[in-house]
Amino acid sequence: MAGASGKFITFEGGEGSGKSTQARRLAARLQKAGIPTVLTREPGGSPFAERVRSLLLDPATPAHGALSEALLFSAARADHLDVAIRPALSAGAWVICDRFMDSTRVYQGYAADVSADVLDALERAVIGATRPDLTLLIDMDVKAGLARAAARRAAGTEKREHPDRFEGRELSFHETLRRGFLDLAKKDPRRCVVIDGSGSEDAVAERVYAAAERALGIA
Ligand code: TYD
């Protein structure tokens, strides 16, 4: 359960899945429908968490283990929840977050070596009762997603804050991420909806809105 009356929606997905665009579009559409909506992202979303984001994504940050990384993502998340997410939910706003706890499970768990026990403990301590009401997993064929991301980069339409840490990773890494997300969605079908990310941006946006309507009942 999220806050008093607001709903908490998270978006997850791999490279080129279009989840950030879809998160933005859903936020705009909900706002237009008269629902006060806050769009945020992880890592980041609060002044402290944005500082941690810079550290995490800066290519000059020295190499470190997956546990250190999971702890940093969690530290950022704890502040983001305290400063931005929980207050917004308590005020009745809907919060849409581009990436959240499932990214830690997948990137630091499935694709690295942080154990499920540690990740369970971190989730309990950091997230507590503020679990998402709905998680939309934008699922894409890995090769198609990577091609889409490459095309976006070539066209210069993507705002790059940093060179992508995972850009050069092998296909199998991205396949692992995809399997991880799908596995999480299967384990928690009440919270997670898998959205087919193929096709036009408009087509995916319709799927996203329909799923949100079905799960949360948008008046
Ligand atoms: P970002 O530029 O926001 O990437 P994207 O557009 O793919 O969301 O960078 C965030 C990166 O951090 C992304 O590669 C996924 C990774 N990440 C984790 O490894 N663990 C986490 O808990 C979160 C929230 C993100």
mmCIF file of all heavy atoms in Angstrom, residues 130-149:
data_model
loop_
_atom_site.group_PDB
_atom_site.id
_atom_site.type_symbol
_atom_site.label_atom_id
_atom_site.label_comp_id
_atom_site.label_asym_id
_atom_site.label_seq_id
_atom_site.Cartn_x
_atom_site.Cartn_y
_atom_site.Cartn_z
ATOM 1 N N THR A 130 6.026 1.436 1.515
ATOM 2 C CA THR A 130 5.827 2.257 0.312
ATOM 3 C C THR A 130 6.190 1.483 -0.954
ATOM 4 O O THR A 130 7.028 1.905 -1.743
ATOM 5 C CB THR A 130 6.638 3.574 0.398
ATOM 6 O OG1 THR A 130 6.557 4.091 1.725
ATOM 7 C CG2 THR A 130 6.081 4.621 -0.557
ATOM 8 N N ARG A 131 5.544 0.346 -1.112
ATOM 9 C CA ARG A 131 5.786 -0.432 -2.324
ATOM 10 C C ARG A 131 4.897 0.114 -3.439
ATOM 11 O O ARG A 131 3.813 0.640 -3.164
ATOM 12 C CB ARG A 131 5.498 -1.907 -2.071
ATOM 13 C CG ARG A 131 6.458 -2.508 -1.050
ATOM 14 C CD ARG A 131 6.172 -3.968 -0.800
ATOM 15 N NE ARG A 131 6.604 -4.831 -1.894
ATOM 16 C CZ ARG A 131 7.854 -5.219 -2.095
ATOM 17 N NH1 ARG A 131 8.808 -4.836 -1.269
ATOM 18 N NH2 ARG A 131 8.169 -6.003 -3.099
ATOM 19 N N PRO A 132 5.356 0.001 -4.690
ATOM 20 C CA PRO A 132 4.527 0.533 -5.777
ATOM 21 C C PRO A 132 3.169 -0.170 -5.839
ATOM 22 O O PRO A 132 3.062 -1.372 -5.565
ATOM 23 C CB PRO A 132 5.354 0.211 -7.033
ATOM 24 C CG PRO A 132 6.753 0.021 -6.549
ATOM 25 C CD PRO A 132 6.645 -0.529 -5.158
ATOM 26 N N ASP A 133 2.130 0.598 -6.184
ATOM 27 C CA ASP A 133 0.813 0.003 -6.423
ATOM 28 C C ASP A 133 0.808 -0.708 -7.770
ATOM 29 O O ASP A 133 0.063 -1.663 -7.977
ATOM 30 C CB ASP A 133 -0.255 1.111 -6.446
ATOM 31 C CG ASP A 133 -0.353 1.797 -5.105
ATOM 32 O OD1 ASP A 133 -0.818 1.150 -4.157
ATOM 33 O OD2 ASP A 133 0.073 2.965 -4.991
ATOM 34 N N LEU A 134 1.613 -0.185 -8.684
ATOM 35 C CA LEU A 134 1.653 -0.741 -10.037
ATOM 36 C C LEU A 134 3.048 -0.552 -10.621
ATOM 37 O O LEU A 134 3.617 0.542 -10.531
ATOM 38 C CB LEU A 134 0.619 -0.014 -10.921
ATOM 39 C CG LEU A 134 0.623 -0.354 -12.406
ATOM 40 C CD1 LEU A 134 0.192 -1.813 -12.638
ATOM 41 C CD2 LEU A 134 -0.315 0.584 -13.182
ATOM 42 N N THR A 135 3.580 -1.614 -11.201
ATOM 43 C CA THR A 135 4.861 -1.519 -11.911
ATOM 44 C C THR A 135 4.632 -1.915 -13.361
ATOM 45 O O THR A 135 4.094 -2.999 -13.631
ATOM 46 C CB THR A 135 5.919 -2.427 -11.252
ATOM 47 O OG1 THR A 135 6.170 -1.949 -9.931
ATOM 48 C CG2 THR A 135 7.222 -2.430 -12.044
ATOM 49 N N LEU A 136 5.006 -1.022 -14.255
ATOM 50 C CA LEU A 136 4.839 -1.289 -15.680
ATOM 51 C C LEU A 136 6.206 -1.642 -16.241
ATOM 52 O O LEU A 136 7.126 -0.812 -16.262
ATOM 53 C CB LEU A 136 4.253 -0.049 -16.364
ATOM 54 C CG LEU A 136 2.845 0.300 -15.843
ATOM 55 C CD1 LEU A 136 2.480 1.739 -16.174
ATOM 56 C CD2 LEU A 136 1.805 -0.653 -16.407
ATOM 57 N N LEU A 137 6.344 -2.875 -16.646
ATOM 58 C CA LEU A 137 7.600 -3.332 -17.226
ATOM 59 C C LEU A 137 7.484 -3.233 -18.740
ATOM 60 O O LEU A 137 6.681 -3.951 -19.350
ATOM 61 C CB LEU A 137 7.869 -4.780 -16.789
ATOM 62 C CG LEU A 137 8.980 -5.494 -17.545
ATOM 63 C CD1 LEU A 137 10.316 -4.768 -17.408
ATOM 64 C CD2 LEU A 137 9.114 -6.933 -17.061
ATOM 65 N N ILE A 138 8.258 -2.323 -19.318
ATOM 66 C CA ILE A 138 8.228 -2.179 -20.773
ATOM 67 C C ILE A 138 9.214 -3.192 -21.345
ATOM 68 O O ILE A 138 10.428 -3.034 -21.220
ATOM 69 C CB ILE A 138 8.604 -0.740 -21.221
ATOM 70 C CG1 ILE A 138 7.831 0.321 -20.422
ATOM 71 C CG2 ILE A 138 8.369 -0.575 -22.718
ATOM 72 C CD1 ILE A 138 6.348 0.379 -20.656
ATOM 73 N N ASP A 139 8.657 -4.208 -21.942
ATOM 74 C CA ASP A 139 9.476 -5.335 -22.401
ATOM 75 C C ASP A 139 9.741 -5.232 -23.903
ATOM 76 O O ASP A 139 8.827 -4.965 -24.685
ATOM 77 C CB ASP A 139 8.740 -6.644 -22.083
ATOM 78 C CG ASP A 139 9.549 -7.849 -22.515
ATOM 79 O OD1 ASP A 139 10.707 -7.970 -22.065
ATOM 80 O OD2 ASP A 139 9.042 -8.658 -23.325
ATOM 81 N N MET A 140 11.002 -5.448 -24.256
ATOM 82 C CA MET A 140 11.417 -5.325 -25.661
ATOM 83 C C MET A 140 12.383 -6.432 -26.007
ATOM 84 O O MET A 140 13.211 -6.811 -25.172
ATOM 85 C CB MET A 140 12.253 -4.039 -25.808
ATOM 86 C CG MET A 140 11.522 -2.769 -26.099
ATOM 87 S SD MET A 140 10.864 -2.758 -27.748
ATOM 88 C CE MET A 140 12.259 -2.198 -28.714
ATOM 89 N N ASP A 141 12.331 -6.870 -27.229
ATOM 90 C CA ASP A 141 13.374 -7.728 -27.758
ATOM 91 C C ASP A 141 14.703 -6.979 -27.581
ATOM 92 O O ASP A 141 14.796 -5.786 -27.887
ATOM 93 C CB ASP A 141 13.090 -7.971 -29.247
ATOM 94 C CG ASP A 141 14.233 -8.666 -29.923
ATOM 95 O OD1 ASP A 141 14.392 -9.873 -29.715
ATOM 96 O OD2 ASP A 141 14.996 -7.981 -30.660
ATOM 97 N N VAL A 142 15.722 -7.670 -27.046
ATOM 98 C CA VAL A 142 16.959 -6.981 -26.675
ATOM 99 C C VAL A 142 17.643 -6.317 -27.876
ATOM 100 O O VAL A 142 18.033 -5.147 -27.814
ATOM 101 C CB VAL A 142 17.923 -7.960 -25.965
ATOM 102 C CG1 VAL A 142 19.316 -7.386 -25.869
ATOM 103 C CG2 VAL A 142 17.395 -8.277 -24.569
ATOM 104 N N LYS A 143 17.738 -7.062 -28.974
ATOM 105 C CA LYS A 143 18.420 -6.492 -30.154
ATOM 106 C C LYS A 143 17.662 -5.273 -30.666
ATOM 107 O O LYS A 143 18.267 -4.264 -31.033
ATOM 108 C CB LYS A 143 18.512 -7.541 -31.260
ATOM 109 C CG LYS A 143 19.682 -8.471 -31.067
ATOM 110 C CD LYS A 143 19.900 -9.299 -32.317
ATOM 111 C CE LYS A 143 20.975 -10.338 -32.076
ATOM 112 N NZ LYS A 143 20.724 -11.592 -32.764
ATOM 113 N N ALA A 144 16.348 -5.362 -30.686
ATOM 114 C CA ALA A 144 15.540 -4.226 -31.161
ATOM 115 C C ALA A 144 15.714 -3.031 -30.231
ATOM 116 O O ALA A 144 15.819 -1.889 -30.688
ATOM 117 C CB ALA A 144 14.069 -4.632 -31.252
ATOM 118 N N GLY A 145 15.780 -3.283 -28.937
ATOM 119 C CA GLY A 145 15.962 -2.191 -27.960
ATOM 120 C C GLY A 145 17.306 -1.521 -28.134
ATOM 121 O O GLY A 145 17.414 -0.289 -28.141
ATOM 122 N N LEU A 146 18.349 -2.322 -28.317
ATOM 123 C CA LEU A 146 19.689 -1.757 -28.481
ATOM 124 C C LEU A 146 19.777 -0.955 -29.781
ATOM 125 O O LEU A 146 20.394 0.116 -29.827
ATOM 126 C CB LEU A 146 20.745 -2.874 -28.456
ATOM 127 C CG LEU A 146 20.946 -3.564 -27.096
ATOM 128 C CD1 LEU A 146 21.876 -4.762 -27.226
ATOM 129 C CD2 LEU A 146 21.489 -2.590 -26.048
ATOM 130 N N ALA A 147 19.123 -1.470 -30.820
ATOM 131 C CA ALA A 147 19.130 -0.756 -32.109
ATOM 132 C C ALA A 147 18.401 0.578 -31.967
ATOM 133 O O ALA A 147 18.845 1.611 -32.487
ATOM 134 C CB ALA A 147 18.462 -1.617 -33.184
ATOM 135 N N ARG A 148 17.292 0.556 -31.239
ATOM 136 C CA ARG A 148 16.528 1.778 -31.022
ATOM 137 C C ARG A 148 17.364 2.809 -30.254
ATOM 138 O O ARG A 148 17.401 3.983 -30.606
ATOM 139 C CB ARG A 148 15.289 1.418 -30.205
ATOM 140 C CG ARG A 148 14.152 2.388 -30.339
ATOM 141 C CD ARG A 148 13.114 2.068 -29.282
ATOM 142 N NE ARG A 148 11.872 1.558 -29.814
ATOM 143 C CZ ARG A 148 10.845 1.198 -29.035
ATOM 144 N NH1 ARG A 148 10.948 1.253 -27.724
ATOM 145 N NH2 ARG A 148 9.733 0.763 -29.578
ATOM 146 N N ALA A 149 18.066 2.337 -29.221
ATOM 147 C CA ALA A 149 18.895 3.241 -28.416
ATOM 148 C C ALA A 149 20.035 3.808 -29.262
ATOM 149 O O ALA A 149 20.364 4.993 -29.175
ATOM 150 C CB ALA A 149 19.448 2.501 -27.200
#
